[in-house]
Amino acid sequence: MHSMSPRRPLAALLPAVALATLTSAHAASPASSPWAPVDPARMSAAIRTLASDDFQGRAPATEGEARTVAWLIAQYRKIGLQPGGEAGGWTQDVPLLRTRIGTPSRLDVTIGGAAMPLELKKDIYLATLSPVERLQVHSAPLVFVGYGVHAPERQWDDYKNVDLKGKIAVFLVNDPDFDAQPGEPVAGRFGGRTMTYYGRWTYKYEEAARRGAIGALIVHDTPGASYPWTTVIAPGGEAFDIVRDAASDKPVPLQGWLEGDAATRLFARAGLDLAALRVKARDPAFQPVTIPGATLTADVPVSVAHLRSRNVIGKLTGAKYPGETVMYGAHWDAFGVGTDTQGRPVIRRGAIDDGSGIAAVLEIARAFKAGAKPDRTVMFAAWTAEERGLLGSTWYAAHPLAPLAKTAANFTIDVLQMAGPAHNAFVIGAGQDSLQDDLAVAARAQGRIVQPETRPERGAFYRADHLPFARAGVPVVAMMGMAGPYDLLSGGVAAGEAWLKAYMACYHQACDAWSANWDLHGAAEDTALLYHVGRDVAFSHAWPQWKTGSEFAAIRAESAAERGE
């Protein structure tokens, strides 16, 4: 089953006993190994520490955070990094807002004078990012805006200048071409089954806010969302955001989802066929539809808390171009202490998600420190609140400590596989930028191939801490072990599938815990891969580029003069 994959003579010939020996506590990676200069055993030890009871699941603004931040600073100092945070320190403060909605005193849609009650979590899911005591909406009209996409570079506009002020925007999930049939005008315009940023629910909420809507509801369907309704309602009405100062940056007050069948009933009561509108929304001539006589009223209590968390940042200042930056990052946070379905206390430790990413960043930092001083400054970031919505990295992108126009690249590690060396690696969001081409070249030097993610409709490219940098125009590469089944040296794709299935059963659960049975040589290979690609950028004055057609290319072009391009 490996006939299409190149083999690496050294790794392929290593007997099982040798691989076991290399994972011992005192082993060092051989210089000729595909994971050099990364030490798999040291990565395992770091993950074990981060996932231990002492760190309490690493939830932001808890004692677990305090211990995590102190440990990270100690590691950075031990490696020999310089502080890269605010005011010459190691950290960057990130002010957070946490909200949780309570039981509504009223929640319904009135259609033609008759109320259609909406049961929270069954028919509708609501949240808010507004720091208010009550979320109140009084008889707000509902407007169906198709997929809610405004993409001039793709000649697409679902809004057609419709006035959304004081209204509720209702969207379909994913991109306009997700369900397109061959020959339809939209087919392939948004990458087919590969999700673009326009397909993400976060984009749809942002666009609704920009257009003055007071609410935004997304019609759920499992294929388009890539997850079931149970996932939508899992946060239980809790939401997090960074504290936003600018009025123009305020989120839409009412955010939520309509369960698919409930949405169909709602449209039908207003005399509309939602299935037919789905088809019309795939045409560039689509016009927004005000749902006849339909208004939404909601009165929901909200609890609000203001929290403070921290990003942890170290750096190596460049010898030739200190004002230019290469960045590596992973998120330190997980889900903390909670209860399981039986009400028993559990720690959701986040060993692989994303203790593995933090371990990788530390290894890459050691490798840079051990070599010659890079031409460009290299930053090593441990982000907070990724699991709450990429909030630590979003705050940094809004308050950068190095100019983003002169940040040459961002490398993000979010979940590494623990099943051993592989013939392949995966790229998330294939075709976005030149760094991905560099990744393929570096993988060949390891004796591996790079493949596109196997489920691009999930939109993984828009779900990790590189996204705020991409949105600011910085070329990015994300390494995510959930991208597909690895073709393992031991067991092939079948073994890779088995590992991925087992990991996904523990995704965001208490069983994402450290294991002595892991084989981190595959994780170390992927870590080394990013080190080598980033090292080439760090010892260079060239600027990686977005590919034509990327939704982020135009943003980067706006700052070309600052780079002398």
Side-chain angles (χ1 to χ4, degrees), residues 183 448 460 488:
R448 299 201 290 162
L488 301 174

Side-chain angles (χ1 to χ4, degrees), residues 346-357:
V346 295
I347 301 175
R348 288 196 279 173
R349 303 171 184 275
I352 295 176
D353 183 12
D354 191 26
S356 66

Side-chain angles (χ1 to χ4, degrees), residues 50 52-72 310 332-334 336-337:
L50 288 165
S52 66
D53 287 355
D54 285 348
F55 288 74
Q56 301 177 1
R58 308 192 307 279
T62 65
E63 178 61 26
E65 163 165 355
R67 296 177 184 182
T68 301
V69 169
W71 183 84
L72 286 167
R310 288 172 289 176
W332 61 253
D333 70 302
V337 179

Side-chain angles (χ1 to χ4, degrees), residues 148 159 171 197 200-213 216 244 248-252 255 394 467 471:
Y159 293 96
F171 312 94
Y197 185 56
R200 289 286 291 151
W201 53 269
T202 49
Y203 163 80
K204 298 174 192 295
Y205 290 156
E206 291 163 1
E207 193 64 34
R210 282 190 285 268
R211 294 173 183 273
R244 301 176 186 270
S248 60
D249 198 28
K250 298 295 184 183
V252 61
Q255 302 179 358
T394 296
L467 178 61
R471 294 184 63 190

Side-chain angles (χ1 to χ4, degrees), residues 249-262:
D249 198 28
K250 298 295 184 183
V252 61
L254 181 149
Q255 302 179 358
W257 294 71
L258 285 169
E259 192 275 333
D261 290 340

Side-chain angles (χ1 to χ4, degrees), residues 397-417:
H399 305 83
L401 301 178
L404 295 180
K406 291 189 176 182
T407 299
N410 171 277
F411 298 91
T412 289
I413 307 104
D414 196 347
V415 174
L416 295 172
Q417 62 93 357

Side-chain angles (χ1 to χ4, degrees), residues 25-365:
H26 304 292
S29 298
S32 56
S33 75
W35 51 84
V38 174
D39 184 341
R42 196 161 49 205
M43 288 184 68
S44 182
I47 300 170
R48 184 177 188 178
T49 297
L50 288 165
S52 66
D53 287 355
D54 285 348
F55 288 74
Q56 301 177 1
R58 308 192 307 279
T62 65
E63 178 61 26
E65 163 165 355
R67 296 177 184 182
T68 301
V69 169
W71 183 84
L72 286 167
I73 292 172
Q75 301 310 301
Y76 283 2
R77 283 179 169 146
K78 185 176 180 180
I79 291 168
L81 301 182
Q82 303 162 305
E86 295 170 320
W90 293 98
T91 62
Q92 179 186 39
D93 280 356
V94 181
L96 300 176
L97 173 73
R98 182 184 67 201
T99 63
R100 184 190 292 275
I101 66 167
T103 301
S105 58
R106 183 177 175 185
L107 179 58
D108 60 56
V109 171
T110 298
I111 303 175
M116 175 183 174
L118 296 172
E119 184 177 339
L120 197 63
K121 297 186 181 180
K122 179 184 177 183
D123 303 316
I124 192 171
Y125 177 79
L126 293 181
T128 185
L129 294 175
S130 297
V132 295
E133 292 185 355
R134 299 195 74 83
L135 179 62
Q136 295 179 313
V137 175
H138 299 288
S139 300
L142 281 75
V143 182
F144 176 65
V145 290
Y147 288 88
V149 172
H150 176 66
E153 77 283 2
R154 288 175 165 84
Q155 294 80 52
W156 197 270
D157 179 20
D158 282 328
Y159 293 96
K160 309 295 194 301
N161 294 317
V162 65
D163 180 13
L164 289 179
K165 292 181 177 63
K167 301 175 183 178
I168 308 293
V170 181
F171 312 94
L172 300 173
V173 71
N174 217 298
D175 290 312
D177 64 351
F178 180 76
D179 287 319
Q181 303 301 308
E184 289 189 34
V186 71
R189 194 177 295 197
F190 290 83
R193 302 292 277 191
T194 300
M195 184 186 287
T196 71
Y197 185 56
Y198 300 113
R200 289 286 291 151
W201 53 269
T202 49
Y203 163 80
K204 298 174 192 295
Y205 290 156
E206 291 163 1
E207 193 64 34
R210 282 190 285 268
R211 294 173 183 273
I214 61 171
L217 297 173
I218 301 172
V219 177
H220 176 265
D221 68 80
T222 296
S226 83
Y227 41 76
W229 181 249
T230 53
T231 299
V232 172
I233 66 175
E238 186 177 63
F240 288 80
D241 197 13
I242 58 174
V243 174
R244 301 176 186 270
D245 298 324
S248 60
D249 198 28
K250 298 295 184 183
V252 61
L254 181 149
Q255 302 179 358
W257 294 71
L258 285 169
E259 192 275 333
D261 290 340
T264 298
R265 292 195 303 272
L266 188 159
F267 276 67
R269 285 201 184 189
L272 298 175
D273 183 340
L274 180 56
L277 286 172
R278 286 179 180 274
V279 176
K280 289 184 178 180
R282 301 200 296 262
D283 192 303
F286 166 81
Q287 294 286 334
V289 177
T290 297
I291 301 179
T295 61
L296 183 140
T297 297
D299 189 355
V300 188
V302 182
S303 62
V304 179
H306 292 273
L307 311 174
R308 190 162 295 273
S309 190
R310 288 172 289 176
N311 294 324
V312 186
I313 304 171
K315 67 179 180 180
L316 293 172
T317 301
K320 292 184 179 179
Y321 314 112
E324 300 175 7
T325 304
V326 175
M327 174 176 280
Y328 289 90
H331 69 89
W332 61 253
D333 70 302
F335 286 95
V337 179
T339 55
D340 64 13
T341 54
Q342 284 75 46
R344 297 170 299 194
V346 295
I347 301 175
R348 288 196 279 173
R349 303 171 184 275
I352 295 176
D353 183 12
D354 191 26
S356 66
I358 293 294
V361 169
L362 294 176
E363 282 298 291
I364 292 169

